[in-house]
Every structure is written in structure tokens, then in C-alpha cells.
Amino acid sequence: MEFLFPHQEYRKIQEAFMNQVYTTIQNKGQLLVHAPTGIGKTASALSPALTYIIKENKNKTIFFLTSRNTQHLIAIETLKKIKKKYNIELITVDLIGKKGMCNQSGVQMLRSGEFMEYCKDLREKGQCQYYDNLRLKGKVSPEAVNVLKKLKEESPMHVEEMNSINFNADLCSYEMAAFLGKEAQVIIADYNYMLNAHIRDGLLKRINKSLGDCILIFDEGHNIPTRARDLLTAMLSNFIIEAASKETKTLGYNEIGDDILKIKEVLEKLAKKIPLDKQEVLITKEDFRKELEKIANYEELMGNCVFIADQVLEHKKRSFTQSIAGFLEHWLGPDEGFTRILSRSFSKTGKGVLTIAYRCLDPAITLQELMTGAHAVMMMSGTLTPIEMYADLFGVNKDKAITIEYQNPFPQENRLNIIIPETSTKYTTRTAMMWETIAKKSADITNTIPGNSIIFFPSYYVLEQVYDFFRDKSTKTMFIEDSELSKEQRGDLLERFKEYKDRGAILLAVAGGSFAEGVDLPGDLLKCVIVVGLPLAKPDLETQELINYYDKRFARGWDYGYTIPALIKTLQSAGRCIRSETDRGVVIFMDERYVWQNYKKCFSPDMNIRIEKNPLTLIQKFFEQEDLLKTNP
Ligand code: SF4
């Protein structure tokens, strides 16, 4: 089969991948693919999908869905190459959040829900000139028609390029993207555009498509479970309640404001159930409802909050009362697949915070409609393993779903994976002596590495403890991840880190943090990754509830709810090191638990992991070989 492939030729593994994608689309199926980094997943998924719609079914639209905007870049570049190579008409849309495509100033400070209300409000009142410029006398305006023509001709283009063209013409870029979407063969967008039913329905309506017209490709699919659960989760804190009460009273509705403030008393009363030695407790739908009914009629209060929120949004961009209304509505949702938790914590200023949450435990609830309604659904990732867990969590149709795990095709001699089972970050072993041992081992290794290294820690706390000893033992320049860094600051830090590729620097970061995923350091920009400890989730009530729920549904509670998600974070962090066929590097897993069977079984056999207490000689030899290869290629 000939595919519209962007590169000169394809490897065997890519051919197999593409054939599978094509067959899945033909059969309206579901496909889960675990494929190591560097295989060329984006091209291997987009090429056959595009070939299918051009050859067999022009009415379908491909949605390439990502968890981060940075993943859009490679998809657009791939499509640009395909268009150039085959000289075909190719219309694509690069969609990010509506807020990121909005021309209005000051919208970045709004949370997404608030922004949507703000935008709706401006449009309805005819106060957004960029929206109004789109139409003239009920038709698409001549200016918009001209710009649309240009967008089609220059497609595929990155969202920044599209925004710039639209902003220069004083047109709403999001609306223009929706116009273009009607004719697009490929739409590249965040998961939310499909996972969130409300956003999905809105988008599909605008582009005159039904879910059955959509071929869905989820990239970095290991992120789907968390994103899908978060979408159905709702929370409320005493801060929001206080702000909503104040907001309501400012409008002169003192009685409603008092009722809202009493929700805080309800939380305080329920908080008495929190055991003295704990910070959280499970509560039932009725616990909260009954207490609330003592101060006001539940539905009436919810209606009053909607009424106030509508008024607030007439002159403001955000409404706290709207958050209350949303929470009260969610709270009445189903019990199966959800849990309800009241927790106590402290703000940065030391003020007590009570938070009540209705948390989703089951990603399949969010995915159900997509799985049954879309033409075909494909999920792929370099860490979609164990794949049977993802099949369970996604709620795939086991009769028609296909799961495939591709082995790493790159030369084994290019990577050295080592477990050092000498230390641990378990709570019971957290002593100054342990931090010093970890620091010494990490410094010995990174001082030996002829280039850059990243050390990933399970938390900022562990990072700080180890750093206190590490800074005196390391001979290299250090960069440290900070949870408060902005996107620009992170980008800047990474660029400076790259400059040290010859002298060698060390980045201290957190597994699951912003440098552990979506960061590409190919070639000789990164020579070593050390993953210190296991990035296990906090053993809190939510984790416990996840374990219980997965135990009940799949009899795999601890695996699905606790150990495997931690291992996925470890593997994602480790994955920063080898990004292509020619990359060489060392990955160290530094914790005694990595040799335990329940963790070790998650490492794929092709990783060829060694267990070494003193790996320095091994590492030196590995890099000596590299020098030899350079002198005698
Ligand atoms: S219509 Fe467009 S430009 Fe206007 S507020 Fe909404 S997103 Fe922003």
C-alpha cells in the first residue's frame, strides 16, 4: 500500500504501524499502540489516516489530539512536508484553547470556564469587534472571505501563523479556525476538544460534522486517564465561598450572600468528621445535601447562584458565584465511578482551607461516547504500557479493539539502563544520611558523564533535601526546576542548559513536572538521566479510592491506581535521554524498589536493564566506546 508519507522511505516498523492504522480506520475500529520514542509515531499515524480520507472517504475529518500545545508543532511540520512532497491540496487547522486565539486584551488571567462566559457575553451583546467583523448583513464578510482564501492557500500552518494573519485583519482567530474547519482534512487540537462533551458538540456543530465523521488519533495517550477524570471533577473551597458571598452582597442581594456564606459553615460542620490524625474524610452526597438543606433549599440556592452569576458576568470577566452553582450541580451527579472527599489544608499565608471535591475515578465515563460514536479511535504513546491496563481504563470494546506493542528498534548498544538498588525515598527511609548517599551517588555519576545530565526526583521536597548535599559534591553547573517558573522562564532555562552540552551541566527536576514530558533534547544535548526514587502518588484518600475502585472493577487496584502510574512517570522521565536512532545515553533508576517484581515487570525486556551497585566503570566504558565509534565510525 502506498501512503502519503513525508520522508524519503519508511522503515519496516513504520510500514507495519501504518498498515494497522489504515485497517483500523477501514474497519471503524479502535487501536492502542505502544511505540517507543523515535519510531516516528506522528508520521506513522497521520500518513495512513490522510491517505484513507483522500482515497476512500473525503467526508471524514482527522482529529490529531494532544495533551500539550508543543506536540502540535511536529504534526503541522509533518503535514507541511506531505503537502510539499505530493503537491496535494491540504487544509488543516491548528486549534489551541479559545483563550489563546482571542484578540481581546487581559483574557489570559481568566480561568477557562470564566473566559467562555466572558466571550459568550461579549458576542451576545455585540461588543466584540473581532467577532462582528466576521459577518456583514448575515453573510460572511468580504474581509473574512479574503482571509479564509489566504488561510487555505497557506495551510498547513501553525496556530501562531494563523493568529497573526487573523489579528492583522481584526478577525477572531478562533471563529476563522471554525470556518476553516468545515473544509479541513486534519484538525490538530487539545484533548479537551473531544473529551469535553460540551466543547466537542459546539465544535462539531460549527464545522457541520457529526462524531461519526471523526477519525480520532490521541497522541501521548498515557495522559488520557488523568485528563478524562479531571474533566468530570468539581471542587469548592471556603475561599471561593467567601468570594462568592461578597460578590453577591455587592450586588445588593444580602440574603442570598448570607446563604452562600453558610455553605462554609456546612463544610466546617462536616470537617468535624475528619479524624484528628488525618486531613481528609469521605462524605456522602446526602451528608452535604442534608446539612445544606438546613440553611436553604438546595435547588433554590443553586438557581439563585446562577441568577447572581448571570448579573456578575454582565460587567465582569469572572464570577465566583458561578463556581458555586457549577459545584452544586455536579455534586448531585452519580455515585458509581466517583468519590466525594472533604479535605483540610493550609494556604501559603497559613490560613486554613477546607475543600470539598466530587472526584471522578473512571476515565471510561468520559471516553464512552467517543468510543462508541467516533468513526475510529486510536491512542498511541511511548509509555502505553502495560497496554491491557489502558484498554481497561479507556473502556475499549474488547471485541473490536486491537492493541499493539512495538519493541524499540534502535541499537541496544546505544543505551545503558541501570538500576542501582542501594537507596530509597520511601517515607520510612527519609533521613539526612539517605539524602547524602543519594547525593553522593548522583554526583559520582554525573561528574563522570561527558555532557549534560538531568536528575529527576519524586518531589520538590526530595529535590531540596538531596540538593543540600549534592551542591558540594558536584563539579558541574546546576540548573534547578522551580514549580513557579513561567512557560517562558522554563524555555529560557532549557536553552541555557543546552549550551552546556560540551562542558556538561546538571538539571535537577521533578518526575511528572514540566521537564519530564514534552521536552526534546536530541543528539548530544543530553547524555544521562537519573531517576531518583519512585514518583508515587500521595497515599491520600483519592489514591485509596482509586485503588478500591480499580480493585472492584478489574481486580488490579494497586497496579492501576498506584504502582503503574508511578512507573509511567519514571519511564517518561527516562525517555528524555534517547530520542532517535543515533542518540546514545545512560539511564539510571536509583531506588531499591525498582528491583521488586511488581515494579521491575513494568520495564520492557528490550530495555535490557542491568542491576549494578557501582556502575561507574560501566558508564566510563560506555562513553569510551562512543569515543571509539567517533574516531572509527
Ligand atoms: S469572539 Fe473571539 S475575539 Fe471575541 S472574545 Fe470571543 S474568542 Fe475573543
Side-chain angles (χ1 to χ4, degrees), residues 79-105:
L79 293 164
K80 279 186 179 190
K81 282 183 192 152
I82 292 178
K83 180 176 177 177
K84 195 169 170 208
K85 184 172 168 188
Y86 296 95
N87 193 23
I88 49 170
E89 187 182 87
L90 182 51
I91 301 175
T92 71
V93 177
D94 183 6
L95 262 188
I96 56 170
K98 193 174 188 181
K99 202 167 72 172
M101 300 175 78
C102 177
N103 243 1
Q104 298 286 355
S105 59

Side-chain angles (χ1 to χ4, degrees), residues 114-388:
E114 294 161 352
F115 169 76
M116 296 311 268
E117 284 300 324
Y118 164 74
C119 167
K120 185 169 158 240
D121 206 44
L122 280 196
R123 279 184 282 124
E124 283 174 1
K125 289 183 183 149
Q127 289 173 354
C128 179
Q129 70 271 37
Y130 312 112
Y131 182 79
D132 294 343
N133 289 345
L134 295 163
R135 290 180 187 80
L136 190 68
K137 295 182 185 157
K139 287 189 177 164
V140 181
S141 68
E143 178 66 1
V145 170
N146 278 340
V147 173
L148 212 50
K149 190 165 166 266
K150 185 175 163 71
L151 293 178
K152 275 190 229 170
E153 282 165 5
E154 294 185 18
S155 183
M157 65 172 76
H158 297 285
V159 67
E160 294 80 14
E161 296 168 319
M162 187 169 73
N163 279 353
S164 151
I165 293 173
N166 289 321
F167 290 177
N168 281 338
D170 280 340
L171 295 166
C172 169
S173 199
Y174 178 81
E175 295 294 329
M176 289 297 284
F179 282 151
L180 197 62
K182 288 179 186 166
E183 296 175 59
Q185 290 121 313
V186 188
I187 295 179
I188 294 152
D190 185 87
Y191 286 175
N192 263 5
Y193 278 101
M194 276 292 143
L195 291 184
N196 184 318
H198 181 66
I199 296 178
R200 177 177 71 232
D201 292 347
L203 177 65
L204 292 180
K205 197 170 159 203
R206 283 162 160 272
I207 63 171
N208 296 339
K209 298 273 176 188
S210 70
L211 188 53
D213 295 323
C214 302
I215 294 165
L216 309 182
I217 302 171
F218 283 88
D219 195 17
E220 300 295 345
H222 61 276
N223 288 310
I224 297 172
T226 309
R227 288 284 295 272
R229 291 201 296 112
D230 285 351
L231 263 173
L232 296 183
T233 292
M235 291 194 281
L236 191 61
S237 73
N238 50 343
F239 282 143
I240 305 243
I241 296 168
E242 282 165 19
S245 169
K246 202 169 152 199
E247 181 178 273
T248 305
K249 287 184 177 178
T250 312
L251 288 177
Y253 297 99
N254 290 342
E255 212 176 307
I256 302 177
D258 284 338
D259 282 350
I260 290 174
L261 202 58
K262 282 182 195 152
I263 304 177
K264 209 173 88 167
E265 289 168 25
V266 171
L267 297 194
E268 281 159 5
K269 192 159 180 204
L270 291 171
K272 292 196 178 121
K273 294 183 176 208
I274 300 177
L276 282 177
D277 58 338
K278 298 268 173 4
Q279 297 302 324
E280 49 187 358
V281 69
L282 289 179
I283 52 173
T284 66
K285 186 194 290 188
E286 282 314 308
D287 284 341
F288 178 70
R289 189 180 173 126
K290 255 192 223 157
E291 286 302 328
L292 195 73
E293 291 276 359
K294 287 181 189 167
I295 55 165
N297 176 286
Y298 194 101
E299 276 76 16
E300 203 176 297
L301 181 58
M302 194 158 68
N304 284 342
C305 288
V306 173
F307 167 73
I308 300 291
D310 281 348
Q311 293 196 30
V312 173
L313 292 169
E314 286 197 6
H315 54 272
K316 272 192 177 171
K317 290 179 180 171
R318 68 183 291 187
S319 161
F320 295 102
T321 318
Q322 187 191 30
S323 306
I324 307 259
F327 175 81
L328 292 177
E329 192 188 338
H330 273 90
W331 187 259
L332 299 180
D335 288 335
E336 183 62 22
F338 291 82
T339 187
R340 298 163 204 268
I341 298 170
L342 178 68
S343 60
R344 184 171 40 209
S345 60
F346 293 94
S347 70
K348 280 185 183 162
T349 55
K351 203 177 164 204
V353 185
L354 281 175
T355 306
I356 186 166
Y358 174 61
R359 287 192 181 280
C360 177
L361 301 171
D362 191 344
I365 298 174
T366 309
L367 291 167
Q368 202 175 26
E369 226 178 306
L370 296 183
M371 288 299 188
T372 51
H375 175 87
V377 184
M378 286 155 284
M379 282 125 164
M380 56 183 192
S381 165
T383 51
L384 212 61
T385 176
I387 209 155
E388 71 276 6

Side-chain angles (χ1 to χ4, degrees), residues 445-468:
I445 293 167
T446 48
N447 288 342
T448 308
I449 301 292
N452 281 339
S453 306
I454 303 184
I455 309 177
F456 287 103
F457 295 89
S459 66
Y460 289 102
Y461 171 76
V462 176
L463 186 158
E464 281 162 23
Q465 303 307 310
V466 175
Y467 174 67
D468 279 347

Side-chain angles (χ1 to χ4, degrees), residues 404-501:
I404 296 183
E405 292 182 70
Y406 291 112
Q407 298 291 300
N408 193 323
F410 302 143
Q412 287 215 346
E413 60 271 22
N414 281 3
R415 51 189 193 272
L416 181 60
N417 293 309
I418 303 171
I419 295 174
I420 306 181
E422 293 278 85
T423 55
S424 178
T425 56
K426 267 188 302 189
Y427 284 94
T428 48
T429 59
R430 293 184 172 193
T431 59
M433 211 161 85
M434 180 58 78
W435 305 140
E436 187 170 11
T437 310
I438 292 173
K440 180 166 184 336
K441 285 189 177 293
S442 304
D444 286 347
I445 293 167
T446 48
N447 288 342
T448 308
I449 301 292
N452 281 339
S453 306
I454 303 184
I455 309 177
F456 287 103
F457 295 89
S459 66
Y460 289 102
Y461 171 76
V462 176
L463 186 158
E464 281 162 23
Q465 303 307 310
V466 175
Y467 174 67
D468 279 347
F469 296 99
F470 184 77
R471 63 182 163 200
D472 295 330
K473 300 181 194 304
S474 176
T475 56
K476 298 196 169 171
T477 301
M478 277 170 255
F479 294 86
I480 301 178
E481 178 180 1
D482 180 334
S483 59
E484 310 272 298
L485 289 182
S486 68
K487 194 175 149 198
E488 288 70 30
Q489 287 169 322
R490 282 199 306 270
D492 182 51
L493 185 153
L494 208 57
E495 286 311 310
R496 284 187 289 128
F497 177 65
K498 286 179 188 171
E499 286 168 14
Y500 279 83
K501 70 181 176 68

